[in-house]
Amino acid sequence: MPVNIKTENKCQHPIVAVDMTIFTVQENTLQVLLIQMKKKPFQGKWALPGGLVKINETLDEAAKRILAEETNVRNVYLEQLYSFSDLNRDPHQRVISVAYFALINAQGIKLKTIPKYADVQWFSIKKVPSDLAYDHKKILKYALTRLKSKLEYTNIVYGLLPKKFTLSQLQKIYEVILNRKLDKRNFRKKILFLDLLKPTSSFQKGKHRPARLYEFKKRKPMFVEIL
Amino acid sequence: MPVNIKTENKCQHPIVAVDMTIFTVQENTLQVLLIQMKKKPFQGKWALPGGLVKINETLDEAAKRILAEETNVRNVYLEQLYSFSDLNRDPHQRVISVAYFALINAQGIKLKTIPKYADVQWFSIKKVPSDLAYDHKKILKYALTRLKSKLEYTNIVYGLLPKKFTLSQLQKIYEVILNRKLDKRNFRKKILFLDLLKPTSSFQKGKHRPARLYEFKKRKPMFVEIL
DNA sequence: TCAAAAGTGTTCGTTGTACACCCATGC
DNA sequence: GCATGGGTGTACAACGAACACTTTTGA
Protein backbone atom coordinates (compact mmCIF):
# COMPACT_ATOMS: atom_id res chain seq x y z
CA MET A 1 0.00 0.00 0.00
CA PRO A 2 1.49 3.28 -1.08
CA VAL A 3 1.80 5.95 1.52
CA ASN A 4 1.41 9.58 0.78
CA ILE A 5 4.50 10.99 2.38
CA LYS A 6 3.34 14.54 2.08
CA THR A 7 0.19 13.77 4.00
CA GLU A 8 2.02 11.67 6.53
CA ASN A 9 4.56 14.38 7.11
CA LYS A 10 1.90 16.92 7.74
CA CYS A 11 0.47 14.17 9.88
CA GLN A 12 -3.11 13.71 10.78
CA HIS A 13 -2.70 15.82 13.83
CA PRO A 14 -2.19 19.51 14.33
CA ILE A 15 1.42 20.43 14.90
CA VAL A 16 2.58 22.74 17.65
CA ALA A 17 4.47 25.99 17.50
CA VAL A 18 5.51 28.54 20.08
CA ASP A 19 5.15 32.26 19.45
CA MET A 20 6.95 34.78 21.62
CA THR A 21 5.80 38.21 22.62
CA ILE A 22 9.01 39.79 23.84
CA PHE A 23 8.56 43.06 25.68
CA THR A 24 10.99 45.69 26.76
CA VAL A 25 10.80 49.30 27.88
CA GLN A 26 13.12 51.73 26.15
CA GLU A 27 12.98 55.46 25.73
CA ASN A 28 9.92 55.62 27.90
CA THR A 29 7.87 53.39 25.64
CA LEU A 30 6.79 49.81 25.81
CA GLN A 31 8.26 47.93 22.90
CA VAL A 32 7.78 44.53 21.35
CA LEU A 33 10.18 42.52 19.23
CA LEU A 34 8.98 41.68 15.73
CA ILE A 35 10.58 39.80 12.88
CA GLN A 36 9.96 40.33 9.20
CA MET A 37 8.98 37.28 7.21
CA LYS A 38 10.90 36.12 4.17
CA LYS A 39 8.61 33.52 2.71
CA LYS A 40 5.11 33.51 1.32
CA PRO A 41 2.32 33.77 2.12
CA PHE A 42 3.39 36.44 4.61
CA GLN A 43 6.44 37.72 2.76
CA GLY A 44 7.40 41.18 4.01
CA LYS A 45 4.92 41.12 6.87
CA TRP A 46 5.98 41.52 10.45
CA ALA A 47 5.28 38.82 13.00
CA LEU A 48 6.14 37.61 16.46
CA PRO A 49 9.17 35.35 16.48
CA GLY A 50 8.22 31.71 16.74
CA GLY A 51 8.96 28.20 15.66
CA LEU A 52 7.83 24.62 15.77
CA VAL A 53 8.20 22.62 18.93
CA LYS A 54 10.60 19.74 18.54
CA ILE A 55 9.70 16.22 19.50
CA ASN A 56 12.15 16.20 22.38
CA GLU A 57 11.71 19.58 23.96
CA THR A 58 9.08 21.01 26.29
CA LEU A 59 7.17 24.16 25.48
CA ASP A 60 9.26 26.18 27.92
CA GLU A 61 12.42 24.87 26.31
CA ALA A 62 11.13 25.76 22.86
CA ALA A 63 10.28 29.25 24.08
CA LYS A 64 13.76 29.74 25.53
CA ARG A 65 15.36 28.46 22.36
CA ILE A 66 13.38 30.85 20.18
CA LEU A 67 14.10 33.73 22.51
CA ALA A 68 17.81 32.98 22.31
CA GLU A 69 17.68 32.84 18.53
CA GLU A 70 16.86 36.53 18.34
CA THR A 71 18.39 38.03 21.43
CA ASN A 72 21.15 36.05 23.15
CA VAL A 73 19.54 36.78 26.49
CA ARG A 74 18.97 34.12 29.10
CA ASN A 75 17.35 33.99 32.49
CA VAL A 76 14.60 36.35 31.54
CA TYR A 77 11.06 36.34 32.83
CA LEU A 78 9.08 33.95 30.68
CA GLU A 79 5.45 32.95 30.99
CA GLN A 80 3.08 30.80 29.00
CA LEU A 81 0.04 32.77 27.93
CA TYR A 82 -2.49 30.79 26.00
CA SER A 83 -2.81 28.35 23.12
CA PHE A 84 -4.34 29.60 19.89
CA SER A 85 -5.88 27.13 17.53
CA ASP A 86 -8.05 28.71 14.85
CA LEU A 87 -8.21 26.35 11.91
CA ASN A 88 -6.96 28.88 9.42
CA ARG A 89 -4.50 30.81 11.52
CA ASP A 90 -1.71 29.40 9.37
CA PRO A 91 -2.80 29.03 5.74
CA HIS A 92 0.04 26.63 5.06
CA GLN A 93 -0.67 23.86 7.53
CA ARG A 94 -2.61 23.14 10.69
CA VAL A 95 -0.60 24.69 13.48
CA ILE A 96 -1.61 25.27 17.07
CA SER A 97 0.41 28.03 18.61
CA VAL A 98 1.29 28.24 22.26
CA ALA A 99 1.92 31.87 23.04
CA TYR A 100 4.51 33.01 25.55
CA PHE A 101 5.58 36.37 26.74
CA ALA A 102 9.00 37.44 27.92
CA LEU A 103 10.24 40.54 29.65
CA ILE A 104 13.72 41.69 28.97
CA ASN A 105 15.87 44.63 29.85
CA ALA A 106 17.02 45.77 26.43
CA GLN A 107 20.03 47.71 27.73
CA GLY A 108 23.03 46.14 26.13
CA ILE A 109 21.10 43.53 24.17
CA LYS A 110 22.19 43.12 20.58
CA LEU A 111 19.52 41.79 18.28
CA LYS A 112 20.75 39.06 15.98
CA THR A 113 19.88 39.34 12.36
CA ILE A 114 19.52 35.76 11.33
CA PRO A 115 19.03 34.33 7.85
CA LYS A 116 15.67 32.86 8.83
CA TYR A 117 14.12 36.34 8.81
CA ALA A 118 14.39 39.40 6.62
CA ASP A 119 14.73 41.68 9.64
CA VAL A 120 14.35 41.94 13.42
CA GLN A 121 13.32 45.12 15.19
CA TRP A 122 11.84 46.66 18.30
CA PHE A 123 8.51 48.35 17.71
CA SER A 124 6.89 50.78 20.05
CA ILE A 125 3.62 49.19 21.06
CA LYS A 126 1.81 52.16 19.55
CA LYS A 127 3.51 51.74 16.20
CA VAL A 128 3.07 48.04 15.60
CA PRO A 129 1.83 47.40 12.05
CA SER A 130 -1.82 46.46 12.17
CA ASP A 131 -1.40 43.66 9.64
CA LEU A 132 0.84 41.28 11.51
CA ALA A 133 1.15 37.79 10.06
CA TYR A 134 -0.99 34.85 11.25
CA ASP A 135 -3.17 35.70 14.26
CA HIS A 136 -0.32 37.58 15.87
CA LYS A 137 -2.34 40.71 16.34
CA LYS A 138 -4.66 38.74 18.58
CA ILE A 139 -1.75 37.15 20.44
CA LEU A 140 -0.09 40.49 21.00
CA LYS A 141 -3.32 41.97 22.33
CA TYR A 142 -3.67 39.04 24.71
CA ALA A 143 -0.08 39.40 25.86
CA LEU A 144 -0.52 43.09 26.54
CA THR A 145 -3.61 42.50 28.64
CA ARG A 146 -1.82 39.85 30.66
CA LEU A 147 1.24 42.01 31.13
CA LYS A 148 -0.85 44.90 32.40
CA SER A 149 -2.76 42.83 34.85
CA LYS A 150 0.27 40.95 36.15
CA LEU A 151 2.08 44.20 36.82
CA GLU A 152 -0.60 44.94 39.37
CA TYR A 153 -0.32 41.82 41.45
CA THR A 154 3.19 40.46 40.91
CA ASN A 155 6.76 41.72 40.98
CA ILE A 156 7.59 40.64 37.41
CA VAL A 157 8.54 44.18 36.49
CA TYR A 158 12.04 43.22 37.63
CA GLY A 159 12.37 41.52 34.25
CA LEU A 160 12.37 44.90 32.53
CA LEU A 161 14.93 46.54 34.78
CA PRO A 162 18.69 46.44 35.16
CA LYS A 163 20.08 45.21 38.43
CA LYS A 164 20.07 48.70 39.97
CA PHE A 165 17.52 51.36 39.18
CA THR A 166 15.88 54.43 40.65
CA LEU A 167 12.35 54.58 41.98
CA SER A 168 11.51 57.05 39.23
CA GLN A 169 12.61 54.56 36.59
CA LEU A 170 10.47 51.92 38.21
CA GLN A 171 7.48 54.20 38.40
CA LYS A 172 7.95 55.27 34.80
CA ILE A 173 7.74 51.66 33.65
CA TYR A 174 4.45 51.22 35.43
CA GLU A 175 3.15 54.42 33.89
CA VAL A 176 4.23 53.48 30.40
CA ILE A 177 2.72 50.02 30.51
CA LEU A 178 -0.47 50.88 32.32
CA ASN A 179 -0.75 54.01 30.26
CA ARG A 180 -1.63 56.29 33.15
CA LYS A 181 0.08 58.67 35.54
CA LEU A 182 0.78 57.49 39.06
CA ASP A 183 1.21 59.63 42.14
CA LYS A 184 4.85 59.70 43.15
CA ARG A 185 4.33 59.71 46.89
CA ASN A 186 1.71 56.99 46.89
CA PHE A 187 3.74 54.84 44.54
CA ARG A 188 6.83 55.04 46.72
CA LYS A 189 4.92 54.47 49.91
CA LYS A 190 3.38 51.31 48.47
CA ILE A 191 6.39 49.82 46.77
CA LEU A 192 8.67 50.38 49.74
CA PHE A 193 6.10 49.04 52.17
CA LEU A 194 5.95 45.80 50.14
CA ASP A 195 9.55 45.18 51.08
CA LEU A 196 10.57 43.88 47.67
CA LEU A 197 13.37 46.36 47.22
CA LYS A 198 16.51 47.17 49.06
CA PRO A 199 18.25 50.52 48.79
CA THR A 200 21.86 50.38 47.66
CA SER A 201 24.50 52.90 48.60
CA SER A 202 24.87 54.04 45.02
CA PHE A 203 23.28 57.04 43.39
CA GLN A 204 22.52 57.80 39.80
CA LYS A 205 24.43 60.88 38.66
CA GLY A 206 22.61 63.19 36.30
CA LYS A 207 22.01 66.82 35.65
CA HIS A 208 20.05 67.13 38.84
CA ARG A 209 19.91 65.81 42.32
CA PRO A 210 21.27 62.25 42.30
CA ALA A 211 18.68 59.54 42.82
CA ARG A 212 19.23 56.59 45.06
CA LEU A 213 19.55 53.25 43.29
CA TYR A 214 17.54 50.28 44.50
CA GLU A 215 17.60 46.62 43.64
CA PHE A 216 15.12 43.77 44.01
CA LYS A 217 15.71 41.59 47.02
CA LYS A 218 14.69 38.61 44.94
CA ARG A 219 14.42 38.35 41.21
CA LYS A 220 11.89 35.58 41.36
CA PRO A 221 8.23 35.90 40.40
CA MET A 222 6.05 36.54 43.43
CA PHE A 223 2.45 37.44 43.97
CA VAL A 224 1.98 40.77 45.73
CA GLU A 225 -0.62 43.49 45.45
CA ILE A 226 1.40 46.33 44.03
CA LEU A 227 -1.27 48.67 42.69
CA MET B 1 11.65 3.70 -0.61
CA PRO B 2 9.76 2.03 2.19
CA VAL B 3 8.11 4.26 4.69
CA ASN B 4 7.77 3.39 8.32
CA ILE B 5 4.10 3.96 8.87
CA LYS B 6 4.36 3.64 12.60
CA THR B 7 6.94 6.41 12.77
CA GLU B 8 5.08 8.56 10.32
CA ASN B 9 1.90 8.15 12.25
CA LYS B 10 3.55 9.22 15.44
CA CYS B 11 5.03 11.99 13.34
CA GLN B 12 8.12 13.91 14.15
CA HIS B 13 6.14 16.45 16.07
CA PRO B 14 4.44 16.29 19.42
CA ILE B 15 0.74 15.62 19.12
CA VAL B 16 -1.90 17.56 20.97
CA ALA B 17 -4.54 16.42 23.41
CA VAL B 18 -7.12 18.19 25.52
CA ASP B 19 -7.70 17.21 29.14
CA MET B 20 -10.79 18.36 30.98
CA THR B 21 -11.15 19.20 34.62
CA ILE B 22 -14.90 19.16 35.07
CA PHE B 23 -16.09 20.61 38.36
CA THR B 24 -19.43 20.54 40.05
CA VAL B 25 -20.72 21.17 43.55
CA GLN B 26 -22.96 18.51 45.05
CA GLU B 27 -23.84 17.67 48.62
CA ASN B 28 -21.86 20.64 49.82
CA THR B 29 -18.62 19.43 48.33
CA LEU B 30 -16.61 20.39 45.31
CA GLN B 31 -16.39 17.44 42.98
CA VAL B 32 -14.42 16.58 39.90
CA LEU B 33 -15.23 14.11 37.15
CA LEU B 34 -12.75 11.28 36.67
CA ILE B 35 -12.65 8.35 34.30
CA GLN B 36 -11.04 5.01 34.91
CA MET B 37 -8.59 3.84 32.31
CA LYS B 38 -8.94 0.54 30.50
CA LYS B 39 -5.60 0.22 28.77
CA LYS B 40 -2.02 -0.02 29.88
CA PRO B 41 0.14 1.55 31.08
CA PHE B 42 -2.47 3.22 33.30
CA GLN B 43 -4.97 0.37 33.46
CA GLY B 44 -7.30 0.78 36.41
CA LYS B 45 -6.01 4.24 37.25
CA TRP B 46 -8.27 7.26 37.38
CA ALA B 47 -7.67 10.23 35.12
CA LEU B 48 -9.22 13.38 33.79
CA PRO B 49 -11.24 12.77 30.65
CA GLY B 50 -9.39 13.80 27.54
CA GLY B 51 -8.63 13.03 23.95
CA LEU B 52 -6.55 13.94 20.95
CA VAL B 53 -7.31 17.08 19.02
CA LYS B 54 -8.48 16.36 15.49
CA ILE B 55 -6.92 17.98 12.51
CA ASN B 56 -10.02 19.96 11.74
CA GLU B 57 -11.19 21.15 15.13
CA THR B 58 -10.05 23.95 17.38
CA LEU B 59 -9.03 23.36 20.98
CA ASP B 60 -12.33 24.76 22.24
CA GLU B 61 -14.22 22.45 19.93
CA ALA B 62 -12.19 19.47 21.11
CA ALA B 63 -12.90 20.42 24.71
CA LYS B 64 -16.63 20.64 24.06
CA ARG B 65 -16.62 17.34 22.24
CA ILE B 66 -14.86 15.59 25.10
CA LEU B 67 -17.15 17.16 27.63
CA ALA B 68 -20.16 15.95 25.69
CA GLU B 69 -18.76 12.43 25.50
CA GLU B 70 -19.10 12.02 29.28
CA THR B 71 -21.92 14.27 30.28
CA ASN B 72 -24.35 15.28 27.53
CA VAL B 73 -24.26 18.83 28.83
CA ARG B 74 -23.82 21.82 26.58
CA ASN B 75 -23.45 25.54 27.07
CA VAL B 76 -21.39 25.18 30.19
CA TYR B 77 -18.66 27.47 31.38
CA LEU B 78 -15.44 26.38 29.72
CA GLU B 79 -12.01 27.92 29.97
CA GLN B 80 -8.59 27.04 28.67
CA LEU B 81 -6.12 26.70 31.51
CA TYR B 82 -2.61 25.91 30.43
CA SER B 83 -0.62 23.61 28.18
CA PHE B 84 1.44 20.88 29.78
CA SER B 85 4.35 19.45 27.90
CA ASP B 86 6.70 17.38 30.04
CA LEU B 87 8.54 14.97 27.81
CA ASN B 88 7.47 11.88 29.69
CA ARG B 89 3.98 12.89 30.77
CA ASP B 90 2.63 10.19 28.46
CA PRO B 91 4.94 7.17 28.39
CA HIS B 92 3.37 5.95 25.17
CA GLN B 93 4.02 8.86 22.83
CA ARG B 94 4.93 12.53 22.90
CA VAL B 95 1.72 14.35 23.76
CA ILE B 96 1.24 17.97 24.72
CA SER B 97 -1.91 18.42 26.69
CA VAL B 98 -3.97 21.59 26.67
CA ALA B 99 -5.90 21.62 29.92
CA TYR B 100 -9.39 23.06 30.21
CA PHE B 101 -11.76 23.41 33.05
CA ALA B 102 -15.53 23.32 32.95
CA LEU B 103 -18.15 24.18 35.53
CA ILE B 104 -21.39 22.31 35.45
CA ASN B 105 -24.48 22.07 37.53
CA ALA B 106 -24.71 18.36 38.13
CA GLN B 107 -28.41 18.41 39.03
CA GLY B 108 -30.11 16.20 36.49
CA ILE B 109 -26.93 15.28 34.64
CA LYS B 110 -26.59 11.62 33.79
CA LEU B 111 -23.04 10.45 33.36
CA LYS B 112 -22.53 8.27 30.32
CA THR B 113 -20.64 5.08 30.78
CA ILE B 114 -18.90 4.66 27.50
CA PRO B 115 -16.86 1.75 26.22
CA LYS B 116 -13.74 3.88 25.97
CA TYR B 117 -13.41 3.90 29.76
CA ALA B 118 -13.85 1.35 32.52
CA ASP B 119 -15.85 3.77 34.62
CA VAL B 120 -16.85 7.42 35.08
CA GLN B 121 -17.49 9.00 38.46
CA TRP B 122 -17.67 12.16 40.48
CA PHE B 123 -15.01 12.42 43.16
CA SER B 124 -15.08 14.80 46.05
CA ILE B 125 -12.02 16.95 45.65
CA LYS B 126 -10.80 15.70 49.01
CA LYS B 127 -11.09 12.08 47.97
CA VAL B 128 -9.36 12.13 44.61
CA PRO B 129 -6.88 9.24 44.34
CA SER B 130 -3.39 10.60 44.66
CA ASP B 131 -2.05 8.45 41.83
CA LEU B 132 -3.95 9.85 38.88
CA ALA B 133 -2.69 8.85 35.44
CA TYR B 134 -0.29 11.02 33.41
CA ASP B 135 0.41 14.42 34.99
CA HIS B 136 -3.24 14.81 35.88
CA LYS B 137 -2.55 15.46 39.51
CA LYS B 138 -0.63 18.54 38.47
CA ILE B 139 -3.36 19.61 36.06
CA LEU B 140 -6.04 19.20 38.67
CA LYS B 141 -4.05 21.24 41.16
CA TYR B 142 -3.63 23.97 38.58
CA ALA B 143 -7.34 23.92 37.77
CA LEU B 144 -8.29 24.20 41.41
CA THR B 145 -6.05 27.20 41.92
CA ARG B 146 -7.51 28.91 38.88
CA LEU B 147 -11.06 28.13 39.93
CA LYS B 148 -10.49 29.59 43.37
CA SER B 149 -8.98 32.77 42.11
CA LYS B 150 -11.53 33.30 39.36
CA LEU B 151 -14.36 32.94 41.84
CA GLU B 152 -13.05 36.07 43.50
CA TYR B 153 -13.04 38.36 40.51
CA THR B 154 -15.58 36.95 38.05
CA ASN B 155 -19.17 35.75 38.06
CA ILE B 156 -18.39 32.28 36.69
CA VAL B 157 -20.01 30.65 39.69
CA TYR B 158 -23.22 30.78 37.66
CA GLY B 159 -21.88 27.71 35.87
CA LEU B 160 -22.32 25.65 39.00
CA LEU B 161 -25.86 26.76 39.77
CA PRO B 162 -29.30 25.96 38.46
CA LYS B 163 -31.28 28.77 36.92
CA LYS B 164 -32.84 29.78 40.24
CA PHE B 165 -31.11 29.48 43.58
CA THR B 166 -31.05 30.96 47.06
CA LEU B 167 -28.40 33.28 48.40
CA SER B 168 -27.47 30.64 50.93
CA GLN B 169 -26.82 28.12 48.16
CA LEU B 170 -24.66 30.65 46.40
CA GLN B 171 -22.74 31.45 49.55
CA LYS B 172 -22.28 27.77 50.30
CA ILE B 173 -20.63 27.23 46.93
CA TYR B 174 -18.14 29.97 47.64
CA GLU B 175 -17.45 28.50 51.06
CA VAL B 176 -16.97 24.99 49.74
CA ILE B 177 -14.60 26.02 46.97
CA LEU B 178 -12.61 28.59 48.89
CA ASN B 179 -12.63 26.30 51.87
CA ARG B 180 -13.50 28.99 54.39
CA LYS B 181 -16.55 30.44 56.11
CA LEU B 182 -17.97 33.70 54.85
CA ASP B 183 -20.00 36.22 56.79
CA LYS B 184 -23.62 36.04 55.71
CA ARG B 185 -24.38 39.75 55.96
CA ASN B 186 -21.22 40.90 54.23
CA PHE B 187 -21.63 38.32 51.50
CA ARG B 188 -25.19 39.39 50.72
CA LYS B 189 -24.35 43.07 50.88
CA LYS B 190 -21.54 42.60 48.38
CA ILE B 191 -23.23 40.25 45.96
CA LEU B 192 -26.41 42.29 45.80
CA PHE B 193 -24.53 45.54 45.45
CA LEU B 194 -22.76 44.10 42.40
CA ASP B 195 -26.10 43.96 40.65
CA LEU B 196 -25.45 40.60 39.00
CA LEU B 197 -28.56 38.97 40.43
CA LYS B 198 -32.22 39.63 40.19
CA PRO B 199 -34.70 38.41 42.77
CA THR B 200 -37.51 36.26 41.43
CA SER B 201 -40.93 36.03 42.98
CA SER B 202 -40.42 32.38 43.87
CA PHE B 203 -39.36 30.95 47.17
CA GLN B 204 -37.73 27.69 48.06
CA LYS B 205 -39.97 25.66 50.36
CA GLY B 206 -38.28 23.69 53.06
CA LYS B 207 -38.62 22.78 56.68
CA HIS B 208 -37.95 26.34 57.72
CA ARG B 209 -38.55 29.86 56.61
CA PRO B 210 -38.72 29.87 52.78
CA ALA B 211 -35.78 31.52 51.05
CA ARG B 212 -36.17 33.83 48.10
CA LEU B 213 -34.86 32.48 44.81
CA TYR B 214 -32.57 34.62 42.70
CA GLU B 215 -31.24 34.29 39.19
CA PHE B 216 -28.29 35.77 37.34
CA LYS B 217 -29.14 38.72 35.14
CA LYS B 218 -26.64 37.46 32.62
CA ARG B 219 -25.07 34.07 32.37
CA LYS B 220 -21.99 35.36 30.60
CA PRO B 221 -18.51 35.53 32.07
CA MET B 222 -17.78 38.97 33.48
CA PHE B 223 -15.01 40.47 35.53
CA VAL B 224 -16.19 41.82 38.86
CA GLU B 225 -14.61 42.01 42.29
CA ILE B 226 -16.81 39.67 44.27
CA LEU B 227 -14.70 38.92 47.32
C1' DT C 1 -43.50 26.54 71.40
C1' DC C 2 -39.36 25.05 69.61
C1' DA C 3 -35.76 24.28 66.22
C1' DA C 4 -33.71 25.83 62.12
C1' DA C 5 -32.57 28.65 58.46
C1' DA C 6 -33.76 33.48 56.45
C1' DG C 7 -33.05 38.03 56.59
C1' DT C 8 -31.21 42.63 58.00
C1' DG C 9 -27.36 47.62 59.76
C1' DT C 10 -23.92 49.69 62.21
C1' DT C 11 -19.31 50.39 63.95
C1' DC C 12 -14.44 50.38 63.37
C1' DG C 13 -10.06 49.75 61.39
C1' DT C 14 -7.49 49.59 57.12
C1' DT C 15 -6.44 50.98 52.69
C1' DG C 16 -6.32 54.01 48.83
C1' DT C 17 -6.31 58.73 47.07
C1' DA C 18 -5.47 63.48 46.71
C1' DC C 19 -2.40 66.96 47.35
C1' DA C 20 2.37 70.85 47.98
C1' DC C 21 6.67 71.95 49.38
C1' DC C 22 11.81 71.65 50.25
C1' DC C 23 16.31 69.48 48.58
C1' DA C 24 20.48 68.56 45.91
C1' DT C 25 22.76 69.05 41.85
C1' DG C 26 24.72 70.94 37.15
C1' DC C 27 24.92 74.60 34.40
C1' DG D 1 20.73 81.53 41.23
C1' DC D 2 17.78 78.89 38.59
C1' DA D 3 15.95 74.92 36.36
C1' DT D 4 15.18 70.11 37.01
C1' DG D 5 14.02 65.97 38.91
C1' DG D 6 14.49 63.76 43.93
C1' DG D 7 12.42 63.15 48.04
C1' DT D 8 8.88 63.43 51.86
C1' DG D 9 3.68 63.41 55.23
C1' DT D 10 -1.06 64.29 56.24
C1' DA D 11 -6.12 64.49 55.87
C1' DC D 12 -10.28 62.39 54.06
C1' DA D 13 -13.02 59.00 51.69
C1' DA D 14 -13.97 54.30 50.51
C1' DC D 15 -13.94 49.70 51.50
C1' DG D 16 -13.68 45.41 54.07
C1' DA D 17 -14.33 42.94 58.55
C1' DA D 18 -16.60 42.00 62.73
C1' DC D 19 -20.69 41.34 64.96
C1' DA D 20 -26.47 39.84 67.11
C1' DC D 21 -31.00 39.82 66.85
C1' DT D 22 -35.76 39.26 64.69
C1' DT D 23 -38.65 36.65 61.33
C1' DT D 24 -40.89 32.80 59.26
C1' DT D 25 -41.90 28.32 58.75
C1' DG D 26 -42.79 23.02 59.83
C1' DA D 27 -43.05 19.76 63.11
Side-chain angles (χ1 to χ4, degrees):
Chain A
M1 172 185 159
V3 172
N4 180 336
I5 305 250
K6 184 71 186 244
T7 304
E8 291 298 329
N9 268 344
K10 280 193 173 183
C11 54
Q12 295 317 309
H13 306 287
I15 60 179
V16 184
V18 162
D19 285 313
M20 299 291 306
T21 306
I22 304 169
F23 289 115
T24 198
V25 173
Q26 261 178 321
E27 296 157 19
N28 288 339
T29 55
L30 178 63
Q31 307 193 338
V32 63
L33 191 71
L34 299 180
I35 56 90
Q36 191 175 34
M37 316 261 318
K38 262 185 171 166
K39 293 182 197 156
K40 296 191 174 186
F42 290 117
Q43 194 173 26
K45 298 273 187 234
W46 293 89
L48 300 172
L52 298 184
V53 177
K54 298 181 201 254
I55 190 84
N56 61 347
E57 67 182 356
T58 65
L59 291 166
D60 283 11
E61 285 162 2
K64 281 176 197 156
R65 173 173 57 77
I66 288 158
L67 184 65
E69 282 172 4
E70 331 296 331
T71 64
N72 278 314
V73 299
R74 302 199 169 279
N75 295 326
V76 302
Y77 180 75
L78 193 68
E79 173 176 331
Q80 191 193 110
L81 279 174
Y82 196 79
S83 298
F84 293 84
S85 64
D86 283 355
L87 296 184
N88 55 354
R89 55 177 301 285
D90 183 338
H92 191 56
Q93 54 184 159
R94 181 71 209 293
V95 181
I96 291 176
S97 167
V98 184
Y100 273 75
F101 85 94
L103 301 180
I104 77 177
N105 167 27
Q107 294 318 78
I109 298 297
K110 282 246 166 101
L111 296 180
K112 299 187 200 168
T113 19
I114 55 173
K116 188 174 165 189
Y117 302 122
D119 201 359
V120 186
Q121 253 184 242
W122 290 110
F123 279 76
S124 161
I125 202 73
K126 289 173 182 165
K127 291 176 186 164
V128 168
S130 65
D131 60 342
L132 295 182
Y134 308 108
D135 54 356
H136 287 184
K137 191 176 177 182
K138 194 166 147 189
I139 295 181
L140 176 56
K141 189 178 169 191
Y142 192 95
L144 243 181
T145 305
R146 176 82 69 96
L147 171 61
K148 285 182 184 179
S149 71
K150 287 211 106 168
L151 270 200
E152 309 222 356
Y153 65 91
T154 71
N155 66 342
I156 60 170
V157 68
Y158 70 78
L160 295 164
L161 285 160
K163 185 155 192 194
K164 298 183 178 185
F165 51 86
T166 69
L167 295 181
S168 296
Q169 280 176 277
L170 178 60
Q171 180 177 339
K172 193 72 197 173
I173 288 184
Y174 274 91
E175 291 180 340
V176 159
I177 297 177
L178 300 177
N179 204 25
R180 66 176 205 261
K181 277 270 170 212
L182 299 175
D183 179 89
K184 185 164 55 162
R185 280 173 290 193
N186 293 337
F187 180 80
R188 288 172 183 230
K189 200 191 313 168
K190 191 65 187 280
I191 207 85
L192 292 175
F193 173 76
L194 288 173
D195 204 35
L196 301 170
L197 305 181
K198 59 178 174 217
T200 71
S201 51
S202 333
F203 289 81
Q204 189 178 67
K205 296 270 175 182
K207 295 172 198 165
H208 313 298
R209 173 173 174 178
R212 182 179 291 275
L213 293 166
Y214 289 79
E215 56 188 30
F216 278 90
K217 287 188 173 174
K218 296 188 180 175
R219 285 185 165 252
K220 299 279 172 197
M222 293 170 57
F223 290 82
V224 205
E225 291 295 334
I226 293 189
L227 296 185
Chain B
M1 170 185 160
V3 172
N4 180 335
I5 305 249
K6 184 71 186 246
T7 303
E8 290 299 329
N9 269 346
K10 280 191 172 182
C11 54
Q12 294 317 309
H13 305 287
I15 60 179
V16 184
V18 162
D19 285 313
M20 300 290 307
T21 306
I22 304 169
F23 289 115
T24 197
V25 172
Q26 261 177 322
E27 295 157 19
N28 288 340
T29 55
L30 177 63
Q31 307 193 337
V32 63
L33 191 71
L34 299 179
I35 55 89
Q36 193 175 34
M37 315 258 323
K38 262 187 170 165
K39 294 181 198 159
K40 296 192 174 187
F42 291 117
Q43 194 173 27
K45 297 272 186 236
W46 293 89
L48 300 172
L52 298 184
V53 177
K54 299 183 200 258
I55 190 83
N56 61 348
E57 68 183 355
T58 64
L59 292 167
D60 283 12
E61 286 162 2
K64 282 176 195 156
R65 173 172 58 76
I66 289 158
L67 184 65
E69 281 171 5
E70 333 294 334
T71 63
N72 278 315
V73 298
R74 302 200 170 277
N75 295 326
V76 301
Y77 180 76
L78 193 69
E79 174 177 332
Q80 191 193 110
L81 279 174
Y82 197 78
S83 299
F84 293 84
S85 65
D86 282 355
L87 296 183
N88 55 354
R89 55 176 300 283
D90 183 337
H92 190 56
Q93 54 184 161
R94 180 70 210 291
V95 181
I96 290 175
S97 165
V98 184
Y100 274 75
F101 86 91
L103 301 181
I104 78 178
N105 167 27
Q107 295 315 80
I109 299 296
K110 282 247 167 100
L111 296 181
K112 300 186 201 168
T113 20
I114 55 174
K116 188 174 166 189
Y117 301 122
D119 200 0
V120 187
Q121 253 184 243
W122 290 111
F123 280 76
S124 161
I125 203 71
K126 290 172 181 166
K127 292 176 186 163
V128 168
S130 65
D131 60 342
L132 296 181
Y134 307 108
D135 54 356
H136 287 185
K137 192 176 177 182
K138 193 166 149 190
I139 295 181
L140 176 56
K141 189 178 169 192
Y142 192 96
L144 243 182
T145 305
R146 177 82 68 96
L147 171 61
K148 285 181 184 179
S149 71
K150 286 210 106 166
L151 269 200
E152 309 222 354
Y153 66 90
T154 71
N155 65 342
I156 60 170
V157 67
Y158 71 77
L160 295 165
L161 285 159
K163 185 156 191 189
K164 296 183 180 186
F165 51 88
T166 69
L167 295 182
S168 295
Q169 281 176 276
L170 178 59
Q171 180 177 341
K172 194 72 198 172
I173 288 184
Y174 274 90
E175 290 180 341
V176 159
I177 297 177
L178 300 178
N179 203 25
R180 66 175 204 260
K181 278 269 171 213
L182 299 175
D183 179 88
K184 184 163 58 160
R185 280 173 291 191
N186 292 337
F187 181 79
R188 288 172 183 229
K189 200 193 311 171
K190 191 64 188 279
I191 207 85
L192 292 174
F193 173 76
L194 288 173
D195 203 34
L196 300 171
L197 305 181
K198 58 179 177 216
T200 71
S201 51
S202 332
F203 288 81
Q204 188 179 66
K205 294 270 176 183
K207 294 172 196 164
H208 313 297
R209 174 172 175 178
R212 182 178 292 275
L213 293 167
Y214 289 78
E215 57 188 28
F216 278 91
K217 287 187 173 172
K218 297 187 179 173
R219 284 184 166 254
K220 299 280 174 197
M222 293 170 55
F223 290 81
V224 206
E225 291 296 333
I226 293 187
L227 295 183

